[in-house]
Amino acid sequence: MQVQELVSFVPWTFIAQICNLFIQVYLIKRFLFKPVNAMLEKRKAMADAEIQDAAKAKDDAQAMKAEYEQNMRDAKDKANEILSTAQKTATAQSEEMIREATQQAAAIKSKAESDIAREKVKAVNEIKDEIGSMAMEIAGKAIGRELHEEDHAKLINEFIANVGEGS
């Protein structure tokens, strides 16, 4: 009976297995690890590029935000300036309108006063004429003769002077 050896060492088999192992490592390294490493490097480069693009986009967004905020501040300042100018203009216009209205009121009052004075003089002259006529008739009847124009004017003036002092 033969005993089979479970563990045996054959030098040529061992050398062949070692050579086989080196060949497999070389082939795996050449055809598997290099392409995988190249693909991983590519993916890493893409990821780095995307991170840089994202950082650049973030910087651009922050710059746009700052520009937007500056534009909003400028717009707000301009709006406040326009509002202030409009208020000043409105105030100036209202003051001008008030001044013109005051001047018109003063002119109307002055015209009304002059119209009143003119009407008063006219009324006084009409009353003088009527009183003069009545005085002539009364005096003519009282004296019994007709008065001359000079006497008539003198009597009218005296009567009006007396009436003017009485009122």
Side-chain angles (χ1 to χ4, degrees):
M1 176 150 126
Q2 280 188 348
V3 178
Q4 192 174 11
E5 294 181 28
L6 292 175
V7 176
S8 65
F9 181 72
V10 180
W12 289 109
T13 306
F14 179 74
I15 293 173
Q17 287 177 350
I18 294 289
C19 286
N20 188 15
L21 178 67
F22 284 132
I23 290 171
Q24 286 178 0
V25 169
Y26 172 75
L27 290 175
I28 288 174
K29 186 177 176 186
R30 168 119 174 128
F31 294 110
L32 182 64
F33 288 144
K34 279 189 179 181
V36 169
N37 283 337
M39 186 178 66
L40 289 176
E41 287 298 321
K42 242 194 223 181
R43 291 181 82 184
K44 182 181 176 189
M46 282 181 23
D48 289 342
E50 287 179 4
I51 290 172
Q52 288 176 351
D53 289 345
K56 183 179 177 191
K58 182 181 176 185
D59 291 342
D60 290 345
Q62 286 178 346
M64 287 174 61
K65 180 183 175 188
E67 182 180 348
Y68 171 76
E69 289 173 351
Q70 181 63 39
N71 288 342
M72 288 302 292
R73 281 192 297 270
D74 292 345
K76 218 179 253 186
D77 291 343
K78 189 165 187 155
N80 287 338
E81 181 181 325
I82 289 171
L83 183 62
S84 175
T85 304
Q87 286 175 342
K88 288 177 184 175
T89 303
T91 302
Q93 286 178 348
S94 67
E95 289 174 358
E96 180 65 26
M97 290 173 72
I98 290 171
R99 188 171 42 256
E100 287 178 7
T102 303
Q103 290 173 350
Q104 287 177 353
I108 290 171
K109 182 179 176 184
S110 173
K111 184 178 180 211
E113 287 175 350
S114 66
D115 288 346
I116 290 171
R118 198 175 322 117
E119 289 296 322
K120 184 177 178 183
V121 168
K122 184 178 174 184
V124 167
N125 287 338
E126 287 177 2
I127 291 174
K128 278 184 185 180
D129 290 343
E130 285 182 31
I131 291 175
S133 298
M134 288 172 33
M136 282 287 275
E137 286 179 26
I138 292 172
K141 287 181 183 177
I143 297 177
R145 61 182 174 102
E146 198 160 309
L147 294 173
H148 294 289
E149 191 67 36
E150 294 173 2
D151 295 335
H152 175 61
K154 183 179 172 185
L155 284 174
I156 290 173
N157 288 335
E158 286 177 13
F159 179 76
I160 290 174
N162 290 335
V163 170
E165 289 173 6
S167 61

